[in-house]
Amino acid sequence: MARADDASNDRIIAETTGIIATDRGNAAAYEKRGEAYFNKRDRDHAFEDCSAAIRIDPNFARAYQCRGLTYSVQGDRDLALADFNEAIRLDPNYGPPYTSRGIEHFNKRDYDLAITHLTEAIERNPAQAYLALVIRGQSYGAKDDYDHAVADYEEAMRRNPAAAWPYELRGLVHLDKDETDQALDDCSNAVRLEPNAAGGHYCRAIALLRKDDMDGGIHELDEVIRIKPAYAKAYSARAPAWLKKGDLRRAIADFDEVIRLQPENAKTYSYRAGALREIGEHMRALADYNEALRLDPKNQEILANRGLLYMMMSDAKHARADFNSVLALPLSDKWAYDTAREGLGFLK
């Protein structure tokens, strides 16, 4: 959401603190200070001030909107919705909670409700129509309704031509539709408009990798990681690019980061195991396959790959057991099924 810079928020906090010092019952001052704290990402102080405003004036709609936002960023979806609904009940002409309510339904993955409420928000709250359009577009996109999603992103572009986000999101739609050149154009525009935002660089990276430009894709992913070091998807995308370039150790280092950030991701353990197997570190690869199967015990691909590793380690007993486990499961991965049959034939 658009917000004032930190210096402005600091001034608001200082001024409202002075007002509160002389007038402890001033609900508007608490609410205004709560908004400023929220804009500075100080959730605890924002919640305290917004709640104080509600205690002083239980009919103060803006205070419920303010507190609802703090609930939202804490992940308390139902409490956030309750506050946004109360703000609307108290003041139907106050626009922001309509947008906030729609966003909350989007966060809950109630995409139909999100579209309904965001449409109302666009009608009732023109000042926040840009944000509502972008989130409604994402809601349509989540339903694979790409035409409506693109229409919303393009209207958002019209209303805010300097914004990078709609270009990035339209670029992701083009990627979903395998329209790589159009995606690259949109992602490049997003980077041009907001060069220090990770999303545009990530979008551009995926488009470049789709065009087999490994060096260009890796460069963009380097930028993503510089801007947002904990962005696991960037490491997940860069590791296969290193593999394609034959740099297995750099790929392994990126898989290490993904696992550090997302330790419950079975596929990443399996991918790292494959790279370790290629460089001859069989015991480390086996440990990764074991962990992957602990997380996803019936994954046929991982079982088949562990069977292949056991064959490389001359452990026919365990290889046979893994291949038989693949064949005992309902067919879900043809490569794994065929590999298991061939492996068993070789072991006879």
Side-chain angles (χ1 to χ4, degrees), residues 130-338:
Y130 162 77
L131 179 60
L133 283 161
V134 170
I135 305 300
R136 189 175 71 175
Q138 290 181 286
S139 301
Y140 281 125
K143 290 165 58 69
D144 295 332
D145 185 346
Y146 295 130
D147 290 342
H148 280 102
V150 168
D152 274 353
Y153 299 147
E154 290 175 352
E155 179 61 17
M157 292 172 192
R158 189 185 69 79
R159 292 177 183 244
N160 190 354
W165 197 14
Y167 284 98
E168 174 194 335
L169 292 170
R170 190 174 68 177
L172 294 175
V173 169
H174 285 308
L175 287 174
D176 284 345
K177 296 172 70 175
D178 291 326
E179 298 168 348
T180 307
D181 289 335
Q182 296 95 315
L184 184 57
D185 286 343
D186 273 349
C187 302
S188 297
N189 273 321
V191 170
R192 175 180 59 80
L193 289 165
E194 197 170 345
N196 290 317
H201 288 285
Y202 179 79
C203 172
R204 181 172 159 78
I206 300 305
L208 289 168
L209 294 175
R210 293 263 186 98
K211 293 172 72 68
D212 289 325
D213 182 353
M214 296 300 117
D215 291 334
I218 287 170
H219 173 74
E220 291 297 328
L221 291 167
D222 290 344
E223 282 298 291
V224 175
I225 291 165
R226 179 186 66 79
I227 296 164
K228 199 172 181 180
Y231 196 25
K233 289 170 65 176
Y235 296 101
S236 292
R238 193 171 65 177
W242 287 127
L243 289 176
K244 279 197 172 184
K245 285 174 66 67
D247 195 332
L248 276 69
R249 294 197 179 275
R250 280 186 171 178
I252 290 167
D254 276 349
F255 288 135
D256 290 345
E257 282 301 303
V258 180
I259 289 169
R260 183 180 68 82
L261 294 165
Q262 296 179 339
E264 301 301 309
N265 190 324
K267 286 187 176 181
T268 307
Y269 284 100
S270 179
Y271 297 151
R272 186 173 69 177
L276 289 166
R277 186 178 67 190
E278 290 297 312
I279 63 173
E281 296 196 25
H282 292 166
M283 293 308 296
R284 285 183 65 196
L286 180 59
D288 272 356
Y289 282 133
N290 290 341
E291 181 62 14
L293 286 166
R294 184 188 70 80
L295 294 166
D296 190 359
K298 296 182 179 180
N299 188 302
Q300 290 180 311
E301 180 184 356
I302 299 173
L303 281 165
N305 272 309
R306 190 174 68 174
L308 292 174
L309 175 63
Y310 277 129
M311 286 182 68
M312 295 175 72
M313 297 171 71
S314 301
D315 187 341
K317 176 184 174 182
H318 284 100
R320 190 176 290 110
D322 275 350
F323 293 146
N324 281 323
S325 294
V326 172
L327 299 179
L329 292 166
L331 176 60
S332 63
D333 188 308
K334 188 176 185 304
W335 173 87
Y337 191 84
D338 291 344

Side-chain angles (χ1 to χ4, degrees), residues 8-25:
S8 298
N9 287 313
D10 287 340
R11 286 196 298 273
I12 290 169
I13 289 168
E15 291 167 6
T16 51
T17 298
I19 294 169
I20 290 166
T22 59
D23 182 4
R24 305 292 295 181

